[in-house]
Amino acid sequence: MNINRPLATMTAIAEALGVSAATVSNALSGKGRVSVDLAASIKAKAEEIGYVPSQAAKALRTGRSGVIGLVLPDISNPLFPQIAQAIEHAASAAGYAVLIGDSRGQIARQTEAIARLLERGVDGVIIIPRRGSRVVDIGAPVAIIDSPSTPGNTVSADHWEGGVQMGRYLASLGHRRVLLIGQSTTSNVQVDRLGGLKAGLGPDVRRETLWVERREAEIGAGQCLGLSAKVAEGFTAFAASSDLLALRVLTELQRSGIDVPRQASVSGFDDLVWSSVVTPQLTTMRQDLDLIARNAVAALGIGIGNKDTSVAAAPMAANGERIAMQLIVRQSTAAPVAVPEEIQKREESE
Amino acid sequence: MNINRPLATMTAIAEALGVSAATVSNALSGKGRVSVDLAASIKAKAEEIGYVPSQAAKALRTGRSGVIGLVLPDISNPLFPQIAQAIEHAASAAGYAVLIGDSRGQIARQTEAIARLLERGVDGVIIIPRRGSRVVDIGAPVAIIDSPSTPGNTVSADHWEGGVQMGRYLASLGHRRVLLIGQSTTSNVQVDRLGGLKAGLGPDVRRETLWVERREAEIGAGQCLGLSAKVAEGFTAFAASSDLLALRVLTELQRSGIDVPRQASVSGFDDLVWSSVVTPQLTTMRQDLDLIARNAVAALGIGIGNKDTSVAAAPMAANGERIAMQLIVRQSTAAPVAVPEEIQKREESE
DNA sequence: TATTCATGATTAATCGTTTAATCACGCAGA
DNA sequence: TCTGCGTGATTAAACGATTAATCATGAATA
């Protein structure tokens, strides 16, 4: 395009204006002492020749790359696009670029992925750890987005409180028999969400918990979870710990000829992209990912500013910010139809 | 962790062994002339002190950052996780790191996102352009993953041929009345897929095309598409241009009390994560994203090797590799039930 | 007139690698 | 003995920005 692009350096500006490179640097950064008119003409010249600072040189000199790493051990996580977008946005607002760190779904490679990022000279790392895996000290600023109940967590949605909200909402609709559905008990996030749900539903609501991973160990993966039987038992609401699970629940119920939400309500968590395209649209809890991302980046920024990287992680781990979740009511939840008498009786006698 | 980490430089190795830094560089890169035993002891020392080359210094000196940018204009694309993972893997195998470029869903910001990546000194950019947006010459190596029918496309799945496969499969099941469902006519990918579907279904199959975006302009977003009416008309198969659309179709049909696949078959494209968790599991076409990613990175590698970046894009645009798609048959498709007589008659009379 | 001081700009070193150019040295051929 | 050459290593100059230290200049003060 332009032959002078590689020449668009500070020295080039300096030579063109007959000043020293240091002056150019000072003018552009506004740090040293430069007369206003010289600074103006330097900036004009920079603009004119299309000057773009060399990140490599800056990184070499300052020891900061202006890049942070983002590690998502479970990249198949459907929330990934939204998280990545939120982090990228927050990071670029803070002047950072984001490098992808992928551990290819294997927990063991999480450390390896982090190491690769560190070799690339990232100034810090944001990690969304896979279910319960611990992050070792890596000698660099780290922000962990997991769950408030995870030790070392830096910032995350308040999954418990989100569960409470959803639980209260379902109870307020009149549901008195709710099935809580989680994928795995090793996930702090899911445990929190279901725990919150129980608390929110209150003591007057009967509930049962279904852990899909455990059930699948018996019946085989991908099999029906036997939800229509639960409806027959009198369950009127199915609260899943994630939209993915909610989707599974929704389609299984529909397949069994159960009308959602008339005969059974279904709710999820995360507000994934498809939540609003399915019929009926899914009621769910949304995380404020933008806010979470901003906090994570901010926490990192503090750490990066720290000279001593080995202790930088300590002050950050202290905050453990928890971000409120937002209830998104759509079509998959409604008040239950009148409970059949025989079930109501049995329930009372129990 | 170790105070000597910042000291783990080439010069440190050189001093420790009493040789020059140049010799260390030669030994480690295997380029210059170094005696085998000296090289061995240099490598040993490097290992010992935990030497990690400074990417910044290397980038400054060589003019190559070893980083490529990945631009996904529509980051909410549910295929993003898989694409990102594939690209990251292919890139790291080729010695590159991947920087996220996000245009926040806005087509106009695509160029802006690319510019930001370029400022970061990326050696090349992989772009998955949003529906039909053109990529301007950016004076750096670019690989475009879109559709073979897009001018400038570098590598992509053979969406048309994938459509043909799916069409043949549906026809072979015995479907004679198929509804093709796409989101937007501005997407080359979707147009290709539906075009291939038509070709694959052959002349004996009656079909109609539903463009959701167009329909929603009339009925409003998120409304029912009136698919049960189509079933009543005699349509036995619904072939969507993406899994997201297929999911919408599936749930709408189920909501209407239509049994999938007994009364209607549903198929999608992309094999997204949820395809196998819904009930019934979705029949779909899978892209070989790993192969696509490898090709894209390879194409970039060629370009990066080129000194003259302004013409580097030219030889790459020439290949336009198309990667075969793979049919994943699951539960959402089956042979149609016998067609009701009156419909069959009407069809014949038309 | 001599001293101090603020201002504005320059010098030069530095970050860690790469690489072309150079050098020292021993050995074979003339 | 002198020249030429291959081998193994060194020198030194980049790459482009940052920054502490220095310097020149003129105005204000003693």
Side-chain angles (χ1 to χ4, degrees):
Chain A
M1 200 183 292
N2 35 14
I3 184 67
N4 56 338
R5 236 235 293 173
L7 306 181
T9 154
M10 277 199 166
T11 321
I13 299 177
E15 284 179 354
L17 264 49
V19 297
S20 75
T23 302
V24 176
S25 175
N26 285 331
L28 260 27
S29 68
K31 283 188 176 173
R33 293 181 298 208
V34 186
S35 65
V36 281
D37 37 351
L38 214 201
S41 61
I42 285 176
K43 282 172 187 165
K45 195 72 188 178
E47 182 78 18
E48 178 193 333
I49 69 172
Y51 168 70
V52 174
S54 157
Q55 296 295 327
K58 181 179 293 188
L60 175 58
R61 180 62 229 254
T62 64
R64 320 266 211 76
S65 61
V67 176
I68 62 179
L70 173 61
V71 181
L72 283 276
D74 192 359
I75 203 168
S76 70
N77 185 333
L79 198 54
F80 181 89
Q82 292 160 59
I83 292 178
Q85 175 167 39
I87 301 270
E88 200 280 338
H89 192 229
S92 81
Y96 288 95
V98 180
L99 219 45
I100 297 180
D102 179 21
S103 37
R104 305 231 88 203
Q106 298 180 35
I107 305 180
R109 294 206 184 163
Q110 182 169 294
T111 315
E112 183 189 322
I114 295 171
R116 272 215 310 273
L117 288 174
L118 255 22
E119 286 181 15
R120 285 285 173 181
V122 297
D123 292 337
V125 185
I126 294 178
I127 303 176
I128 298 166
R130 190 179 165 82
R131 314 184 306 203
S133 66
R134 295 276 298 171
V135 177
V136 297
D137 175 33
I138 58 175
V142 186
I144 296 175
I145 303 178
D146 188 2
S147 154
S149 62
T150 302
N153 182 64
T154 308
V155 56
S156 76
D158 193 337
H159 302 289
W160 177 281
E161 202 276 333
V164 170
Q165 278 190 59
M166 180 63 82
R168 288 210 183 116
Y169 166 68
L170 291 174
S172 77
L173 284 177
H175 293 282
R176 289 296 173 264
R177 201 147 196 183
V178 177
L179 187 66
L180 309 180
I181 306 168
Q183 178 71 32
S184 164
T185 54
T186 63
S187 158
N188 280 327
V189 170
Q190 294 187 43
V191 170
D192 282 5
R193 287 174 174 179
L194 295 197
L197 272 165
K198 285 177 194 164
L201 287 169
D204 297 338
V205 177
R206 303 176 49 91
R207 64 254 178 174
E208 235 172 62
T209 303
L210 168 64
W211 291 105
V212 171
E213 207 169 86
R214 197 175 292 169
R215 166 65 68 91
E216 285 194 327
E218 305 163 7
I219 61 173
Q223 297 301 308
C224 272
L225 301 169
L227 300 177
S228 61
K230 290 295 176 187
V231 174
E233 282 181 39
F235 285 91
T236 60
F238 297 80
S241 68
S242 76
D243 280 357
L244 194 62
L245 234 38
L247 178 62
R248 180 169 179 177
V249 169
L250 173 67
T251 55
E252 182 174 330
L253 288 173
Q254 285 187 329
R255 187 84 189 289
S256 309
I258 290 161
D259 187 315
V260 177
R262 227 179 54 82
Q263 292 174 270
S265 288
V266 175
S267 74
F269 270 87
D270 287 342
D271 194 24
L272 298 183
V273 272
W274 71 70
S275 306
S276 56
V277 318
V278 296
T279 306
Q281 295 177 5
L282 217 52
T283 293
T284 188
M285 294 296 308
R286 180 189 292 161
Q287 304 193 41
D288 190 343
L289 288 174
D290 283 310
L291 185 52
I292 292 172
R294 276 205 299 278
N295 280 30
V297 170
L300 229 44
I302 295 166
I304 293 172
N306 245 334
K307 294 297 177 188
D308 186 356
T309 56
S310 64
V311 298
M316 285 190 300
N319 52 9
E321 202 97 32
R322 47 184 72 191
I323 309 296
M325 298 191 80
Q326 185 192 358
L327 175 64
I328 309 287
V329 175
R330 286 199 272 249
Q331 307 166 346
S332 69
T333 48
V337 295
V339 182
E341 284 187 20
E342 71 275 20
I343 291 177
Q344 197 161 22
K345 273 190 194 137
R346 192 175 59 192
E347 186 175 334
E348 281 163 0
S349 68
E350 279 174 336
Chain B
M1 201 181 293
N2 34 15
I3 183 68
N4 57 340
R5 235 236 293 174
L7 306 182
T9 152
M10 279 198 167
T11 319
I13 300 178
E15 283 180 355
L17 263 51
V19 298
S20 75
T23 303
V24 176
S25 174
N26 286 331
L28 260 27
S29 67
K31 283 190 175 172
R33 293 179 300 208
V34 185
S35 66
V36 282
D37 36 351
L38 212 201
S41 59
I42 284 177
K43 283 172 187 164
K45 196 73 190 178
E47 182 79 19
E48 180 194 333
I49 70 172
Y51 168 70
V52 174
S54 156
Q55 295 294 328
K58 181 179 292 189
L60 176 57
R61 179 61 230 244
T62 64
R64 321 266 212 78
S65 62
V67 176
I68 62 179
L70 173 61
V71 180
L72 282 277
D74 192 0
I75 205 170
S76 70
N77 185 335
L79 197 54
F80 181 88
Q82 294 161 56
I83 291 179
Q85 177 167 38
I87 300 270
E88 199 281 339
H89 192 230
S92 82
Y96 287 95
V98 180
L99 218 45
I100 298 180
D102 178 20
S103 36
R104 306 230 87 201
Q106 299 180 38
I107 305 179
R109 293 209 185 160
Q110 182 169 294
T111 314
E112 184 188 320
I114 295 171
R116 273 214 309 272
L117 290 173
L118 256 21
E119 285 180 15
R120 286 284 172 182
V122 297
D123 292 337
V125 185
I126 294 179
I127 304 175
I128 299 167
R130 190 178 164 83
R131 318 185 302 204
S133 67
R134 296 274 299 171
V135 178
V136 296
D137 174 32
I138 58 173
V142 185
I144 296 174
I145 303 179
D146 187 3
S147 153
S149 63
T150 302
N153 183 65
T154 308
V155 55
S156 76
D158 193 338
H159 302 288
W160 177 282
E161 203 276 331
V164 170
Q165 277 190 61
M166 180 64 82
R168 288 209 182 114
Y169 165 70
L170 291 175
S172 77
L173 284 176
H175 293 281
R176 290 295 172 267
R177 201 147 195 182
V178 177
L179 188 66
L180 308 181
I181 305 167
Q183 179 71 32
S184 164
T185 53
T186 62
S187 158
N188 280 325
V189 170
Q190 294 188 42
V191 170
D192 282 6
R193 288 174 173 179
L194 294 197
L197 272 165
K198 285 177 193 164
L201 287 169
D204 297 339
V205 176
R206 302 176 49 92
R207 65 252 177 178
E208 233 173 63
T209 305
L210 169 63
W211 291 104
V212 171
E213 208 169 85
R214 198 174 291 170
R215 167 66 68 92
E216 285 193 327
E218 304 163 8
I219 61 173
Q223 297 301 309
C224 273
L225 301 169
L227 301 176
S228 60
K230 290 295 175 185
V231 174
E233 282 180 38
F235 285 90
T236 59
F238 296 79
S241 67
S242 77
D243 279 358
L244 194 61
L245 235 35
L247 178 61
R248 179 168 180 176
V249 169
L250 172 67
T251 55
E252 182 174 331
L253 288 172
Q254 285 187 330
R255 186 82 189 289
S256 310
I258 291 160
D259 187 315
V260 176
R262 224 179 56 79
Q263 292 173 269
S265 289
V266 175
S267 73
F269 269 86
D270 288 341
D271 195 22
L272 299 184
V273 274
W274 70 70
S275 307
S276 56
V277 317
V278 297
T279 305
Q281 295 177 5
L282 217 51
T283 293
T284 190
M285 295 296 310
R286 180 189 293 161
Q287 303 192 41
D288 189 344
L289 288 174
D290 283 310
L291 186 52
I292 291 171
R294 276 204 300 280
N295 279 31
V297 170
L300 229 44
I302 295 168
I304 293 171
N306 245 334
K307 293 297 178 188
D308 186 354
T309 57
S310 64
V311 298
M316 286 189 299
N319 52 9
E321 204 97 31
R322 47 183 73 190
I323 310 296
M325 300 192 80
Q326 186 192 358
L327 175 65
I328 310 287
V329 175
R330 286 199 274 248
Q331 306 164 346
S332 69
T333 49
V337 296
V339 180
E341 283 188 20
E342 71 275 18
I343 289 177
Q344 196 161 24
K345 273 193 192 131
R346 190 175 60 188
E347 186 175 334
E348 282 163 0
S349 69
E350 281 176 334

